[in-house]
């Protein structure tokens, strides 16, 4: 590990070219801890041979320019969001070593939820959390980790725990979660502490390399500019003031217990993809139909009743069969304000031409399955329209004389079949016979597409036939 | 290829997988949740990533990460969620990362309701987040287009390294129609700029910071030139009976379907109505609108909003002919009769003038 003082570890760029100006110096203030931490990480990158595998996620704050320094893949992200971005980077590149470098405002304030959730998911990430108890770059404001009584530009009279609360202890807080594997707090205030930090950084990276899960090192670090402390006394200040609030040590370590686990990406062939998407269907058969009357062509159909009567699926049956026969079809449930009032309904359009509005004010066909629906919607039918209603349930015949009404005792017929829930399908069968717009064969073929419960296909096919037979001569 | 009678929301997910989308990072919100449900069902089936994020903010940032890694990636949301995603969208645009975002619009402002509105137009088309950026915005009006434009959105996003937005309403999302699905997309574009965690991508950097004002201006000029190129090449518009029309109706999404029926109704009564439907809302078909403005007597723009897209029509028409507006809000969708009555009113005014 012995190196010449001026030789840069391979984790660093040979020159800091991404920064304008001096290629040799960092942009950090004298005494700032970031430089030290960068060096410890860069050495670990070299020793663990991670340079070609690492993606470094730069935060917002003084370390926003982390990407100036590390000779790895680099990405800069919005304040606090590093753990969310890193989550997807890691899942897209399971082989990569993804590292978030975050400050205290970034991780503990604006990004509190992102770190909490990523840690709890046990994402295979490594987070280096630099706690210097203050916002550096934005001008020395209060951080969640600022100390009680600490004067900052937004607590000019000192942090008052009754106003701002006490400092947040993230290493302890995150250690309470099930998800993380390894969390340790270290410091930079003397050689021993720095040496411990070096070890912890490597532990955290190894944790990810070995597939053991989420790791974080919280590093207590100096910000002499923000603290308004002479760099010569910063270490002393840090140890004296931060030390008591932020005890050093491991807060969670399950590295021995957690079995290594690596996510694998798999590729799927086209055929398997189509099958998985339920898309390996046959071409439409375009079966012939025989319209019984020209006025039944291109219908807009409203089906209405109580929720639970199978209104929506009856509509879907008709629409699927329409598609099978090569028509333009649309199906839309009652939606938005139309959902008010307790009736369930849907609109189905079947048309030789492209369908404009999928709902219409004056439908050509109404299938009413309960009395409120009949009373509410029969008035909307245009003169000459077809009204079909379940006469078992609706015992009052419709009042309008200018429409064609067909009473179908669908519920009674369904009961005769042994299942009153088939009334909807019986009505559909009756509509097919009455209009002739769709063939019974097309409907039978497409039943599996409209019905979620496959064990009901046979019973529904039977009900279709019963309804069809009822209406074919009416 | 396979034809399926399917909801628009479900068609988006299947289309995305056919387009090679590798990850979906979602957060539940009505009426877009169905997209997340379908993604949760289908993405893992074919070895792709589905993750429910901790928040709308988290989900768009995950999209940022996946896009940076070179994946075709997506998320879906609705109004309140889209507001939260604006931060991420600005970063995606600034860093020139491709992705697809779906907004199934609902009623606003605030919590509003879950009924269909088109009130996210400004947010979608004019920016939404901070900075000089634009999204590519596509507006489907059928289940088939929910499929086709999703695939198109991935292509455009990759081609221009820019986020693409599918702007639909709850109506189009809920409606079932036959959809003909194309075969799986072949030959996805190489992304040499992506972060792979391999030696080859060591030198790659994804970011949106340009501290030097001249550098940032230059980056912005580059973005603006890109948007100009997109505007030149990628405008999509559908026209119906505009050839001899003297009064043109304009609408997108579900409204355009209703307007189509209004045109048919009006034509049956002898009125020469036409329909102009922008399919790309950004870039906007301003050139075509300006051409029509040179020979028609007026426009009527219909929206499920207080009148947002109408501003773009007025900008293109430049006062040459009257541009009328009819809008409904709160989730109310106008009927054919309702709009036709407005049209007839405007026609009689135009005739008198």
């Amino acid at each position: 590990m012995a190196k010449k003082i001026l030789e840069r570890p391979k984790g660093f760029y040979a020159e800091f070219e991404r920064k304008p100006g001096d290629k040799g110096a960092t942009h950090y203030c004298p005494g700032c801890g970031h430089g030290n931490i960068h060096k410890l990480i860069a050495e670990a990158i070299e020793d663990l041979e991670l340079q070609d595998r690492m993606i470094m996620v730069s935060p917002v704050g003084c370390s926003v320019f982390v990407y100036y320094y590390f000779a790895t893949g680099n990405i800069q992200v919005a304040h606090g969001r590093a753990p969310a971005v890193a989550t997807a980077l890691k899942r897209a590149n399971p082989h990569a070593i993804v590292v978030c470098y975050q400050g205290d405002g970034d991780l503990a304030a604006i990004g509190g939820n992102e770190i909490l959730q990523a840690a709890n998911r046990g994402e295979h990430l490594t987070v280096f959390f630099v706690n210097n108890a203050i916002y550096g770059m934005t001008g020395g404001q209060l951080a969640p980790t600022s100390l009680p009584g600490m004067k900052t530009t937004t607590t000019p009279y000192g942090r008052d725990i009754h106003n701002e609360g006490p400092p947040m202890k993230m290493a302890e807080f995150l250690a309470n979660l099930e998800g993380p594997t390894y969390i340790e707090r270290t410091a930079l205030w003397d050689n021993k502490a720095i040496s411990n930090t070096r070890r912890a950084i490597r532990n955290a990276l190894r944790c990810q390399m070995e597939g053991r899960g989420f790791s974080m090192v919280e590093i207590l670090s100096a910000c002499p500019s923000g603290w308004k402390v002479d760099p010569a006394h910063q270490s002393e200040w840090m140890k004296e003031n931060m030390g008591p609030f932020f005890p050093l040590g491991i807060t969670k370590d399950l590295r021995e217990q957690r079995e290594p686990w690596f996510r694998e990406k798999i590729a799927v062939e086209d055929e398997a993809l189509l099958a998985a998407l339920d898309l390996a269907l046959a071409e439409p058969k375009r079966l012939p139909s025989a319209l019984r009357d020209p006025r039944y062509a291109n219908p807009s159909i409203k089906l209405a009743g109580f929720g639970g009567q199978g209104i929506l699926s009856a509509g879907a049956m008709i629409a699927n069969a329409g598609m099978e026969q090569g028509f333009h079809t649309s199906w839309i449930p009652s939606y938005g304000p139309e959902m008010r009032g307790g009736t369930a309904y849907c609109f189905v359009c079947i048309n030789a031409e492209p369908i404009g509005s999928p709902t219409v004010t004056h439908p050509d066909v109404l299938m009413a399955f309960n009395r409120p629906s009949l009373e509410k919607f029969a008035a909307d039918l245009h003169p000459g329209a077809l009204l079909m209603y379940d006469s078992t349930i609706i015992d009052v015949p419709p009042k309008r004389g200018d429409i064609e009404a067909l009473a179908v005792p669908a519920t009674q017929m369904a009961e005769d079949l042994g299942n009153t829930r088939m009334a909807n399908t019986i009505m559909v069968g009756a509509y097919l016979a009455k209009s002739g717009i769709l063939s019974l064969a097309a409907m039978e073929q497409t039943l599996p597409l409209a019905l979620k419960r496959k064990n009901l296909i046979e019973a529904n096919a039977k009900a279709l036939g019963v309804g069809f037979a009822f209406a074919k001569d009416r | 290829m396979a034809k399926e009678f399917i909801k628009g929301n479900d068609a988006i997910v299947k289309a995305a997988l056919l387009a090679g989308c590798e990850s979906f990072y979602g957060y539940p919100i009505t009426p877009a949740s169905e997209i997340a449900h379908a993604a949760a069902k289908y993405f893992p089936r074919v070895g792709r990533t589905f993750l429910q994020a901790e928040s709308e903010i988290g989900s768009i940032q995950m999209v940022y990460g996946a896009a940076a890694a070179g994946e075709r990636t997506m998320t879906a949301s609705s109004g309140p969620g889209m507001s939260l995603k604006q931060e991420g969208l600005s970063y995606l645009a600034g860093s020139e990362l491709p992705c697809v975002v779906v907004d199934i619009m609902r009623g606003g402002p605030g919590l509003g309701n879950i009924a269909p509105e088109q009130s996210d137009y400004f947010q979608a088309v004019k920016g939404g987040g901070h900075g000089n950026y634009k999204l590519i915005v596509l507006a489907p009006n059928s289940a088939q287009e929910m499929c086709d434009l999703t695939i198109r959105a991935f292509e455009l996003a990759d081609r221009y390294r820019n986020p693409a937005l599918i702007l639909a309403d709850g109506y189009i999302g809920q409606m079932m129609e036959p959809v003909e699905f194309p075969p799986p997309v072949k030959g996805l574009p190489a992304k040499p700029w992506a972060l792979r965690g391999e030696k080859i991508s060591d030198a790659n950097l994804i970011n949106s910071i340009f501290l030097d004002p001249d550098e940032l201006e230059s980056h912005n000029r580059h973005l603006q030139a890109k948007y100009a190129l997109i505007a030149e090449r990628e405008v999509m518009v559908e026209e119906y009976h505009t050839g001899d029309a003297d009064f043109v109706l304009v609408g997108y999404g579900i409204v355009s379907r209703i307007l189509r029926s209004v045109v048919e109704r009006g034509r049956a009564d002898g009125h020469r109505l036409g329909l102009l439907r922008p399919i790309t809302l950004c870039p906007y078909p301003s050139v075509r609108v300006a051409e029509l403005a040179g020979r028609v007597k007026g426009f009527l723009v219909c929206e499920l909003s207080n009148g947002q897209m109408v501003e773009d029509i007025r900008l293109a028409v430049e006062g040459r002919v009257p541009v009328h507006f009819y809008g409904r809000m709160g989730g109310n969708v106008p009927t054919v009769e309702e709009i036709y009555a407005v049209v007839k009113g405007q026609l009689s005014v135009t005739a008198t003038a």
Side-chain angles (χ1 to χ4, degrees):
Chain A
M1 201 92 70
K3 289 186 192 307
K4 279 185 259 172
I5 292 272
L6 292 175
E7 184 186 325
R8 286 216 169 116
K10 290 203 172 65
F12 277 144
Y13 288 115
E15 291 190 318
F16 298 147
E17 286 181 357
R18 281 177 171 163
K19 180 179 182 287
D22 185 349
K23 306 283 186 230
T26 72
H27 72 287
Y28 296 113
C29 307
C32 171
H34 281 306
N36 268 340
I37 298 168
H38 285 15
K39 185 156 179 288
L40 296 175
I41 296 171
E43 287 169 359
I45 291 171
E46 177 172 347
D47 292 348
L48 300 175
E49 298 182 336
L50 292 179
Q51 187 187 336
D52 297 335
R53 290 175 66 189
M54 188 176 281
I55 300 174
M56 181 69 83
V57 185
S58 299
V60 162
C62 292
S63 46
V64 65
F65 298 124
V66 157
Y67 60 83
Y68 282 161
Y69 305 110
F70 291 99
T72 61
N74 280 289
I75 181 169
Q76 198 288 317
V77 304
H79 203 197
R81 315 301 180 214
V85 175
T87 291
L89 279 167
K90 180 71 178 185
R91 285 169 186 245
N93 298 310
H95 170 79
I97 299 300
V98 181
V99 174
C100 299
Y101 191 103
Q102 297 189 264
D104 40 28
D106 190 80
L107 179 138
I110 198 167
N113 196 29
E114 280 77 12
I115 188 65
L116 176 69
Q117 305 283 343
N120 192 55
R121 285 193 302 266
E123 298 291 345
H124 288 209
L125 304 173
T126 301
V127 178
F128 296 127
F129 168 38
V130 182
N131 177 2
N132 58 17
I134 203 155
Y135 282 67
M137 178 174 271
T138 41
Q141 295 89 352
L142 176 88
T145 49
S146 296
L147 302 170
M150 194 165 157
K151 288 185 177 173
T152 72
T153 49
T154 49
T155 53
Y157 311 110
R159 180 175 192 156
D160 174 358
I161 60 164
H162 299 297
N163 199 44
E164 288 89 21
M168 287 184 80
K169 301 182 175 185
M170 294 309 290
E172 288 83 353
F173 177 57
L174 296 177
N176 280 321
L177 301 172
E178 284 290 317
T181 299
Y182 171 72
I183 299 179
E184 178 165 359
R185 182 185 288 120
T186 68
L188 297 178
W189 52 54
D190 58 28
N191 284 340
K192 188 179 160 217
I194 290 171
S195 165
N196 262 330
T197 303
R198 173 185 285 114
R199 177 192 46 77
I201 283 171
R202 287 157 194 246
N203 283 347
L205 289 169
R206 280 202 194 92
C207 180
Q208 184 178 171
M209 291 163 68
E210 291 166 9
R212 294 184 198 274
F214 179 91
S215 55
M216 182 179 93
V217 185
E218 175 176 342
I219 304 165
L220 304 183
S221 175
C223 182
S225 309
W227 297 343
K228 310 248 181 307
V229 170
D230 177 357
H233 298 108
Q234 68 187 29
S235 293
E236 202 177 306
W237 192 96
M238 181 162 44
K239 195 166 185 177
E240 203 167 292
N241 293 281
M242 291 180 75
F245 265 93
F246 299 108
L248 306 189
I250 292 174
T251 56
K252 179 158 197 187
D253 189 0
L254 295 175
R255 285 174 297 159
E256 296 294 315
Q257 290 90 321
R258 292 243 155 108
E259 287 297 316
W261 178 78
F262 296 93
R263 194 180 298 279
E264 279 178 35
K265 296 191 86 180
I266 55 163
V268 171
E269 297 297 320
D270 283 2
E271 207 164 298
L273 172 63
L274 293 175
L277 295 184
D278 307 318
L279 282 179
L281 302 175
E283 287 291 313
K285 303 237 173 1
R286 300 187 194 281
L287 299 164
S289 57
L291 208 58
R292 277 180 68 179
D293 190 309
R295 69 199 161 93
Y296 295 143
N298 301 325
S300 57
I301 308 164
K302 191 173 206 170
L303 300 94
F306 289 126
Q309 282 186 303
I311 306 302
L312 301 185
S313 61
M317 281 180 211
I318 297 171
N320 269 289
M323 177 182 79
E324 183 73 8
Q325 293 204 201
F327 287 108
H328 295 275
T329 58
S330 66
W331 171 101
I332 188 155
S334 44
Y335 183 61
E338 300 155 356
M339 288 171 80
R340 291 179 295 219
T343 52
Y345 71 82
C346 67
F347 249 112
V348 174
C349 293
I350 299 175
N351 208 301
E353 299 297 321
I355 294 161
S357 175
T359 68
V360 294
T361 313
H362 304 298
D364 303 308
V365 181
L366 171 65
M367 295 184 202
F369 291 84
N370 67 2
R371 197 166 154 180
S373 301
L374 181 82
E375 286 168 353
K376 190 171 173 192
F377 298 127
D380 295 339
L381 290 168
H382 64 66
L386 173 63
L387 165 67
M388 299 176 66
Y389 63 101
D390 186 337
S391 55
T392 313
I393 289 176
I394 306 168
D395 50 6
V396 184
K399 296 187 186 75
R400 283 182 64 173
D402 60 343
I403 55 173
E404 181 183 14
L406 178 63
V408 182
T411 299
Q412 182 59 53
M413 290 160 73
E415 204 174 324
D416 295 345
L417 277 177
N419 186 349
T420 53
R421 297 182 62 121
M422 293 290 157
N424 60 341
T425 312
I426 286 171
M427 186 70 87
V428 169
Y431 173 66
L432 256 55
K434 179 70 186 162
S435 66
I437 187 163
L438 301 171
S439 71
L440 192 58
M443 182 66 76
E444 283 168 349
Q445 273 178 28
T446 52
L447 267 183
L449 303 176
L451 297 172
K452 279 194 184 124
R453 293 171 63 185
K454 303 304 171 203
N455 57 333
L456 294 179
I457 292 170
E458 203 182 320
N460 273 280
K462 198 170 169 190
L464 272 178
V466 168
F468 193 89
F470 172 83
K472 80 173 167 357
D473 299 318
R474 292 176 199 252
Chain B
M1 264 311 299
K3 200 166 190 177
E4 188 182 0
F5 194 71
I6 187 174
K7 270 190 186 182
N9 282 340
D10 294 335
I12 283 177
V13 171
K14 293 191 179 187
L17 288 166
L18 292 171
C21 180
E22 290 183 83
S23 53
F24 187 108
Y25 291 100
Y27 188 80
I29 182 169
T30 310
S33 297
E34 279 175 338
I35 301 175
H37 301 169
K41 176 178 172 183
Y42 289 113
F43 272 64
R45 267 195 195 178
V46 291
R48 318 255 176 108
T49 302
F50 173 86
L51 181 64
Q52 179 170 324
E54 59 267 25
S55 66
E56 298 280 5
I57 293 168
S59 74
I60 194 72
Q61 295 295 341
M62 289 173 189
V63 164
Y64 181 84
E71 285 191 341
R72 281 195 165 177
T73 181
M74 72 183 297
T75 185
S77 190
S78 187
M82 288 305 298
S83 296
L84 288 166
K85 288 190 194 299
Q86 296 306 320
E87 171 196 71
L89 285 168
S90 173
Y91 276 76
L92 281 151
S95 301
E96 293 193 273
L97 290 177
C99 68
V100 172
V101 178
V102 181
D103 178 6
I104 305 295
M105 290 182 282
R106 57 185 256 172
L111 206 47
N113 64 20
I114 58 169
E117 263 196 2
Q118 295 180 322
S119 48
D120 295 354
Y121 181 91
F122 282 153
Q123 188 191 51
V125 166
K126 306 294 179 187
H130 59 283
N132 306 301
Y133 77 93
K134 286 183 177 184
L135 306 177
I136 297 165
V137 183
L138 308 174
N141 82 342
S142 64
Q144 182 68 56
E145 282 194 351
M146 290 290 244
C147 163
D148 297 347
L149 294 182
T150 297
I151 295 170
R152 181 93 178 136
F154 278 108
E155 287 167 6
L156 292 173
D158 277 349
R159 187 175 307 153
Y160 297 103
R161 286 190 61 179
N162 204 65
L165 181 73
I166 304 285
L167 192 68
D169 52 76
Y171 232 87
I172 298 294
Q174 289 293 318
M175 185 164 56
M176 288 175 91
E177 289 182 311
V179 173
E180 195 140 3
F181 286 95
V185 173
K186 292 287 168 203
L188 298 185
K191 297 178 179 175
W193 45 264
L195 300 173
R196 306 279 185 193
E198 294 165 10
K199 190 169 181 61
I200 195 166
S201 64
D202 266 2
N204 288 353
L205 168 68
I206 303 291
N207 87 345
S208 56
I209 304 178
F210 299 87
L211 268 198
D212 178 73
D214 289 338
E215 276 182 35
L216 182 56
E217 187 173 43
S218 158
H219 176 61
N220 267 287
R221 288 201 191 287
H222 158 71
L223 292 179
Q224 297 308 315
K226 180 169 83 173
Y227 304 145
L229 190 66
I230 296 172
E232 194 183 306
R233 290 180 177 170
E234 308 296 351
V235 169
M236 287 192 281
V237 64
E238 183 196 355
E239 296 183 41
Y240 184 60
H241 286 312
T242 48
D244 67 341
D246 49 27
F247 197 76
V248 171
L249 312 182
V250 189
Y252 67 97
I254 183 61
V255 174
S256 69
R257 297 284 294 264
I258 299 164
L259 294 180
R260 185 185 174 100
S261 295
V262 174
V263 168
E264 282 164 4
R265 180 75 59 87
R267 290 255 159 193
D269 289 350
H271 300 299
R272 289 198 294 184
L273 301 181
L275 166 65
L276 181 90
R277 170 173 79 97
I279 300 173
T280 52
L281 296 176
C282 186
Y284 200 74
S286 307
V287 173
R288 184 59 188 147
V289 173
E291 281 166 14
L292 287 171
R295 62 172 174 80
V296 304
K297 296 194 178 112
F299 292 87
L300 174 68
V301 181
C302 293
E303 297 175 64
L304 305 183
S305 77
N306 61 327
Q308 302 192 11
M309 183 183 75
V310 66
E311 293 192 359
D312 286 324
I313 292 287
R314 288 188 173 132
L315 280 170
V317 168
E318 291 184 309
R320 280 176 287 173
V321 291
V323 176
H324 308 285
F325 173 72
Y326 184 71
R328 294 294 305 269
M329 289 175 277
N332 288 306
V333 178
T335 62
V336 174
E337 288 73 15
E338 189 179 338
I339 297 176
Y340 188 43
V342 175
V343 170
K344 282 194 287 191
Q346 296 301 345
L347 287 175
S348 64
V349 172
T350 310
T352 314

